[in-house]
Amino acid sequence: KVVDADATPLSAVAEAFEQLSRLIESGERCLRLSTFGSACSLVSILFGCLGFAFKFAELEYVAKVNDLIEASKEYDTLQSILDNDVKNNTVRHKGSHSRNLRRVRLGLDLIRALFEQFLVTKDGSLKDAATTAYGRVCAPFHNWAIRRAVGAGMYALPTRDQLISRLNETDYSVQKEMRRYIDASSPIIRYIDDLYISRNISLDW
Ligand code: 1PZ
């Protein structure tokens, strides 16, 4: 399905993830790597709205998504990259597709947590929402140097209202679109976790 020409970046992201989650909830066992990769690459539009301090987060996220898109020429599904790395004992190896999938999943979860915080802290700052989200989702997996750099970058985040206007949303529409992404991404994140768990791979890395 083609996304509306007048869709906002956020509604395009929500739409793409709703399509993915419908596939999963319809009982589809195999998620195509190319479909997943294109949905994940839409997310990078949001980085531009967060300001220059998150340029390095963007480079990090985009590199990993591009690795998965590149891998889709060789591997059809998310399962098959896991199976291949399990066979070669390279699941946790730096740069492996399975490791990069794990990182991209972290990015999707971070955005989900940020949106959730954004919605529950209506009078709070974006910095506080992002700090809470990052602390819960990513910080446990990041070393001290990265946590410190992210903490410094938080001061350069835009205000809530700046973010809403950069996203081309209104106070009302932003809530609707964030909620759509939260609801759609949750089953996808769970689906990815299950790929590891069902292969006896722990998620503590
Ligand atoms: C939702 C926006 C909230 C804003 C604040 C959060 C900023 C998060 C900054 C994350 C910086 C990532 C720094 C690099 C971490 C890497 O060490 C690890 C491991 O990589 P590897 O060793 O496997 O090569 N990479 C990750 O953990 C990937 C994390 C992806 C986070 C992407 C952020 C997505 C934010 C989207 C905003 C629109």
Side-chain angles (χ1 to χ4, degrees):
K1 183 172 177 282
V2 180
V3 174
D4 288 85
D6 58 0
T8 61
L10 199 51
S11 69
V13 170
E15 176 69 34
F17 281 88
E18 279 177 354
Q19 287 180 27
L20 278 186
S21 72
R22 275 197 292 270
L23 278 178
I24 289 170
E25 283 173 342
S26 73
E28 183 71 48
R29 294 295 311 133
C30 301
L31 194 53
R32 299 281 301 267
L33 195 49
S34 56
T35 316
F36 177 74
S38 357
C40 293
S41 60
L42 286 177
V43 167
S44 30
I45 309 167
L46 306 179
F47 285 106
C49 306
L50 291 173
F52 71 94
F54 289 95
K55 192 72 195 165
F56 81 113
E58 173 178 5
L59 295 175
E60 166 71 17
Y61 177 82
V62 170
K64 265 125 200 182
V65 171
N66 284 343
D67 172 72
L68 296 181
I69 291 174
E70 193 58 34
S72 71
K73 294 174 185 161
E74 202 181 333
Y75 303 94
D76 199 32
T77 62
L78 272 63
Q79 277 95 330
S80 56
I81 63 171
L82 265 275
D83 287 335
N84 190 261
D85 280 316
V86 167
K87 192 178 76 200
N88 296 322
N89 223 337
T90 48
V91 171
R92 292 198 194 195
H93 281 209
K94 177 134 178 114
S96 81
H97 301 316
S98 300
R99 174 156 163 161
N100 288 340
L101 174 61
R102 177 100 183 101
R103 303 307 181 214
V104 169
R105 174 254 180 251
L106 215 53
L108 299 180
D109 201 12
L110 175 65
I111 297 158
R112 186 202 51 74
L114 175 74
F115 288 178
E116 216 155 63
Q117 283 307 306
F118 190 93
L119 296 183
V120 299
T121 59
K122 290 217 174 55
D123 302 314
S125 65
L126 182 64
K127 173 179 170 286
D128 288 346
T131 302
T132 304
Y134 176 79
R136 286 192 190 156
V137 173
C138 290
F141 304 103
H142 285 166
N143 63 37
W144 178 84
I146 289 176
R147 292 201 306 271
R148 201 178 127 98
V150 170
M154 292 292 179
Y155 289 91
L157 281 174
T159 64
R160 280 178 82 94
D161 288 343
Q162 280 169 336
L163 178 66
I164 292 170
S165 103
R166 286 179 196 179
L167 287 170
N168 229 343
E169 301 287 347
T170 64
D171 204 24
Y172 171 75
S173 68
V174 79
Q175 297 185 39
K176 191 185 82 182
E177 303 301 345
M178 284 185 174
R179 172 52 57 194
R180 286 176 70 199
Y181 174 82
I182 293 169
D183 292 343
S185 63
S186 300
I188 298 163
I189 290 166
R190 211 174 316 122
Y191 173 88
I192 297 171
D193 285 350
D194 285 343
L195 293 177
Y196 294 84
I197 294 166
S198 63
R199 288 167 180 78
N200 284 320
I201 304 162
S202 68
L203 297 176
D204 56 352
W205 51 290

